[in-house]
Amino acid sequence: MSTRSVIRSIALIPVLALAFTACGGDSGDDEASDTGTSESSLQTVSEGTLTVCSDVPYPPFEDFDETSESGFKGFDIDIVQAIADGLELELEVKDSSFDALQSGQALNAGQCDMAASAMTITEERKAAIDFSEGYYDSQQSLLVPEDSDIESIDDLDGVKVGVQQGTTGKTFAEENATGAELVSFPSDAEMFQAIKAGQVEALLQDLPVNINHQDAGGFKVVETYSTDESYGLAMKKGSTELVEAVDEQLAEMREDGSYDEIYNKYFATE
């Protein structure tokens, strides 16, 4: 790992054990979708455009931003913008449900070329979709109101805990907070509204997102969980050429320092 400055203490460890082998990739197989052919001969669902689906909002990874060219902002958005630039493609971002992304439904329907949505690479998901190399390591965490007596996962018996459906956070809660009453929500937006309204007493989900809520005031992260999770960019099953091209761009970003610049923009403390 490189010379990154001081990073949030609670564990945002940039991954990318990018042991990429440089990949070639001329046209070859035409797995992916359909129509377009970019200047790099990469097939995309819309010619000349890298179309990316994301479950928005989920700051700091993705959020709406009317002032930006794409209409979105966040760590994931900056990463895919850099990839699109490297591939000489325009970037288009579409809001989508996380369930449709992690199941591969949106990709199989040709709605987008890639899903960038703080999605953990898991063996179960790899059965339905292909992933890039990991581009970010995260942890799970427990968020409660500042005046809560809850101090750890051991205090959740009989407690209503908000989780997002289809996520590794929900799986972790099911396996480790067995006495809790889990309440599933479609996205972080509904989860956060629920804890603010007192409908649930805690949220269990990705650490950076809970830190974002903590920084906004009124809530605190009381416990973190190392789960060896790495986020990947998801693509339609069989999209070998696109996966290789994306991995090559990620490797170049690591080499030229642009990955660190994006990382520090969102996660460094100074």
Side-chain angles (χ1 to χ4, degrees):
M1 282 233 247
S2 43
T3 56
R4 187 169 299 115
S5 52
V6 187
I7 297 170
R8 287 185 187 282
S9 57
I10 326 182
L12 303 178
I13 307 166
V15 224
L16 293 185
L18 295 176
F20 300 124
T21 53
C23 35
D26 41 76
S27 16
D29 306 342
D30 18 78
E31 63 285 336
S33 315
D34 40 351
T35 50
T37 300
S38 73
E39 294 181 4
S40 62
S41 79
L42 198 63
Q43 291 186 323
T44 56
V45 297
S46 178
E47 185 173 0
T49 299
L50 182 66
T51 306
V52 176
C53 288
S54 187
D55 180 16
V56 187
Y58 198 65
F61 294 98
E62 32 266 330
D63 205 350
F64 300 104
D65 181 8
E66 294 181 352
T67 66
S68 73
E69 186 174 348
S70 69
F72 298 85
K73 65 180 180 181
F75 179 75
D76 285 352
I77 303 301
D78 286 4
I79 291 288
V80 295
Q81 181 66 68
I83 290 172
D85 291 344
L87 296 176
E88 299 182 345
L89 296 169
E90 296 296 321
L91 175 67
E92 180 181 3
V93 180
K94 294 182 177 178
D95 189 14
S96 177
S97 76
F98 189 77
D99 247 3
L101 301 182
Q102 63 98 24
S103 67
Q105 180 184 350
L107 295 164
N108 291 333
Q111 295 176 7
C112 42
D113 303 297
M114 180 192 301
S117 202
M119 188 186 303
T120 300
I121 301 170
T122 68
E123 292 303 316
E124 183 179 6
R125 289 171 179 162
K126 284 168 71 174
I129 50 183
D130 285 342
F131 280 102
S132 69
E133 295 287 343
Y135 67 93
Y136 182 86
D137 277 354
S138 186
Q139 297 180 339
Q140 295 298 322
S141 62
L142 186 65
L143 181 82
V144 300
E146 277 186 337
D147 59 356
S148 173
D149 293 330
I150 296 171
E151 296 180 349
S152 77
I153 201 168
D154 296 330
D155 299 329
L156 297 182
D157 283 355
V159 171
K160 288 186 177 180
V161 179
V163 294
Q164 184 175 351
Q165 60 194 28
T167 65
T168 52
K170 180 181 179 183
T171 301
F172 182 85
E174 290 172 340
E175 294 173 349
N176 296 278
T178 53
E181 180 181 345
L182 301 185
V183 183
S184 295
F185 295 90
S187 73
D188 171 68
E190 290 87 353
M191 289 169 61
F192 192 51
Q193 287 302 316
I195 196 171
K196 288 199 293 186
Q199 297 169 352
V200 298
E201 299 169 66
L203 300 183
L204 203 159
Q205 64 173 342
D206 291 348
L207 175 61
V209 182
N210 273 344
I211 286 179
N212 195 66
H213 295 321
Q214 175 180 265
D215 290 347
F219 297 89
K220 58 185 178 182
V221 174
V222 292
E223 200 166 48
T224 62
Y225 315 103
S226 297
T227 49
D228 296 325
E229 295 186 48
S230 182
Y231 295 167
L233 301 168
M235 286 155 272
K236 183 179 178 180
K237 194 72 179 173
S239 302
T240 306
E241 187 180 13
L242 180 58
V243 171
E244 290 179 346
V246 169
D247 282 347
E248 189 171 13
Q249 291 302 314
L250 287 171
E252 289 182 9
M253 291 168 62
R254 294 293 282 178
E255 291 174 5
D256 66 18
S258 55
Y259 175 86
D260 279 354
E261 289 180 13
I262 296 172
Y263 183 93
N264 289 334
K265 175 180 175 182
Y266 291 96
F267 303 119
T269 56
E270 63 179 36

